Amino acid sequence: MDKKRIVVTGIGAITPLGNDLPTTWEALKAGKSGAAPITLWDTERFKTKFACEVKDFDPNDYFDRKTARKFDRYAMFACISADEAIADAKLDMEQEDRERVGVVFASGIGGITTFEAEVMQYDPERGPRYNPFFIPKMISDMAAGHISMKYGMHGPNYGTVSACASSTNAIISACDTIQMGRADVVVAGGSEATICISGIGGFNAMNALSVRNDSPETASRPFSGSRDGFVLAEGGATLILEEYEHAKKRGAHIYAEVKGCGMSADAYHLTASHPDGLGAKLVMTNALKDADLQPTDVDYINVHGTSTPVGDISEAKAIVDMFGDHAYSLNISSTKSMTGHLLGAAGALEAIVCIKAIQEGIVPPTINHEEGDEDPEIDYKLNFTFNKAQKRDVKVALSNTFGFGGHNASAIFTKVED
């Protein structure tokens, strides 16, 4: 079976840097941070008191009151980003075979805010009196369901869950769905909304979050010696993936081609990546093989780069091991330094960053690095694009995502050549 070409025809996002994609992208290029003190509840007793919240978010701006009651916050972000991407793609469902349009949408955790609210109000004296929407709001596949119901998309429909690799796996699954001939178009992405008592408290318990409370905007500092954990974030991001001939036939604007994808497992530890980056190297190797590209073809890597002590070292080692001398010719950046870590939505957002880098010839920076703040285990001959965006003709961009449980997923995007 000949391999089908799969292209991106629409993109959308709601993030801590902006409530749409254009605003987010301008902030990324400018090196702005989305971190600030948490406003969603009182953090007095928490070790970490800040996060990357979506700013000025009012559900009533997007949903009527009756509809909003059925949505967890993560599902709202999913639908908002999907609406933007579908509009951007000019995807007219009246003209499409609805049975050939699918949705694969990820969330690493799903409706944790709903779960938390329902459990916290349980009264043993009264017994269980849960909201009838409790379960549908909580489950992590419901974002895909909401999108398909709104637009009448009858094709394959499900969610993917692989922690912080979840939405890259959604992209991979969407591509596989098109390759297998089960759909012509797939709405793919991820969303997350875990900035809540149990989310912050849980990650604090495992010492995963930065505690730089006196300076939230500088807390996410990937590849710097003083990094002390990631900054939790929320939001959603969506890509419209389409079979190339189908996109050309309807005259769609094409942003980039999904050239190849890879997956691997560290098979090492519950939360830590392999110290030598073995799984990271393998997933990049698999993605390049799938794309039929050589390491020297890659111009830019949007790294997982969460700002954790172990993870940043292992990924940097994997890049040097994988790319050899070419590693020092690459642009590398972690946009989590600005957006924070969107967990299950990170892969979709960072895929869009790669696509925008290709489109505009600009690599967004890794912010918050200070001269003298080096880690002796990181090779600073690598170009981490510290602090300021750099112009570059990006023809091939690689996006890495690694999740708790050792789940690794990478996707490669390229300029479209007819």
Side-chain angles (χ1 to χ4, degrees):
M1 183 175 67
D2 291 337
K3 187 175 180 180
K4 297 178 181 178
R5 296 178 66 185
I6 299 169
V7 293
V8 181
T9 57
I11 45 181
I14 177 169
T15 77
L17 296 176
N19 291 11
D20 57 30
L21 181 56
T23 307
T24 297
W25 177 240
E26 290 303 312
L28 284 167
K29 290 190 293 183
K32 294 183 178 178
S33 171
I38 292 170
T39 66
L40 297 173
W41 84 95
D42 184 357
T43 61
E44 181 181 356
R45 294 181 178 273
F46 288 77
K47 290 192 293 185
T48 296
K49 305 177 187 301
F50 62 93
C52 287
E53 296 177 348
V54 172
K55 315 297 189 297
D56 302 316
F57 178 67
D58 183 350
N60 295 317
D61 292 339
Y62 303 93
F63 308 95
D64 62 63
R65 193 176 300 275
K66 183 177 180 181
T67 300
R69 291 179 59 238
K70 302 175 184 178
F71 284 65
D72 183 85
R73 188 177 175 96
Y74 98 93
M76 292 181 182
F77 293 150
C79 291
I80 292 165
S81 68
D83 287 346
E84 183 181 13
I86 290 166
D88 184 47
K90 297 181 173 57
L91 192 63
D92 183 357
M93 292 308 298
E94 296 302 319
Q95 302 299 318
E96 294 294 326
D97 179 351
R98 295 170 186 263
E99 295 181 4
R100 302 283 302 168
V101 181
V103 185
V104 183
F105 215 90
S107 183
I109 297 179
I112 189 172
T113 54
T114 292
F115 186 89
E116 177 181 283
E118 292 293 324
V119 171
M120 287 178 70
Q121 70 181 9
Y122 170 69
D123 182 349
E125 297 298 322
R126 295 190 312 159
R129 295 187 182 184
Y130 291 122
N131 186 314
F133 296 120
F134 174 22
I135 300 301
K137 288 173 69 175
M138 178 194 69
I139 53 180
S140 58
D141 67 304
M142 192 51 67
H146 282 307
I147 294 165
S148 68
M149 286 184 275
K150 178 173 182 177
Y151 290 97
M153 298 169 173
H154 292 288
N157 182 275
Y158 57 96
T160 54
V161 179
S162 51
C164 305
S166 293
S167 54
T168 303
N169 276 122
I171 292 168
I172 294 170
S173 292
C175 289
D176 289 346
T177 297
I178 295 171
Q179 286 290 351
M180 294 298 293
R182 296 191 173 107
D184 300 314
V185 182
V186 178
V187 180
S191 63
E192 208 77 86
T194 60
I195 304 174
C196 57
I197 290 171
S198 54
I200 294 289
F203 283 116
N204 267 161
M206 58 191 298
N207 296 314
L209 299 180
S210 171
V211 292
R212 195 179 287 263
N213 294 306
D214 58 339
S215 183
E217 67 279 0
T218 67
S220 184
R221 43 182 57 216
F223 306 106
S224 289
S226 61
R227 66 193 184 280
D228 69 330
F230 69 83
V231 178
L232 194 61
E234 62 179 3
T238 300
L239 298 81
I240 307 303
L241 303 180
E242 194 164 348
E243 193 273 323
Y244 176 73
E245 295 298 335
H246 182 275
K248 292 288 285 186
K249 184 177 180 180
R250 72 177 187 88
H253 170 71
I254 295 173
Y255 283 98
E257 183 169 353
V258 188
K259 198 69 173 177
C261 302
M263 295 179 284
S264 76
D266 276 20
Y268 172 72
H269 189 271
L270 283 175
T271 58
S273 54
H274 193 285
D276 294 325
L278 297 185
K281 180 184 177 182
L282 179 59
V283 75
M284 290 187 285
T285 301
N286 291 342
L288 283 166
K289 182 178 179 181
D290 186 51
D292 195 22
L293 293 172
Q294 297 301 312
T296 51
D297 293 321
V298 178
D299 301 300
Y300 168 50
I301 304 177
N302 188 293
V303 291
H304 188 57
T306 58
S307 189
T308 56
V310 174
D312 289 5
I313 293 171
S314 65
E315 187 170 12
K317 285 181 178 178
I319 290 170
V320 172
D321 196 18
M322 169 74 208
F323 288 90
D325 290 342
H326 183 63
Y328 305 106
S329 301
L330 295 164
N331 269 87
I332 297 165
S333 71
S334 171
T335 44
K336 289 183 180 74
S337 60
M338 297 173 280
T339 65
H341 193 352
L342 276 79
L343 306 182
L349 178 57
E350 290 157 15
I352 291 172
V353 171
C354 288
I355 291 163
K356 294 295 289 183
I358 290 169
Q359 181 190 30
E360 295 193 12
I362 297 176
V363 175
T366 305
I367 67 169
N368 296 326
H369 183 70
E370 301 169 3
E371 189 173 346
D373 187 14
E374 279 77 40
D375 184 326
E377 295 193 61
I378 291 176
D379 186 348
Y380 290 97
K381 295 192 297 292
L382 295 169
N383 180 6
F384 290 107
T385 320
F386 281 135
N387 298 324
K388 188 175 181 180
Q390 295 178 9
K391 292 183 178 180
R392 177 165 183 160
D393 181 16
V394 179
K395 295 179 181 178
V396 179
L398 168 66
S399 176
N400 282 341
T401 50
F402 313 139
F404 285 176
H407 312 298
N408 306 311
S410 297
I412 295 175
F413 301 88
T414 63
K415 282 188 175 180
V416 173
E417 298 178 5
D418 293 328

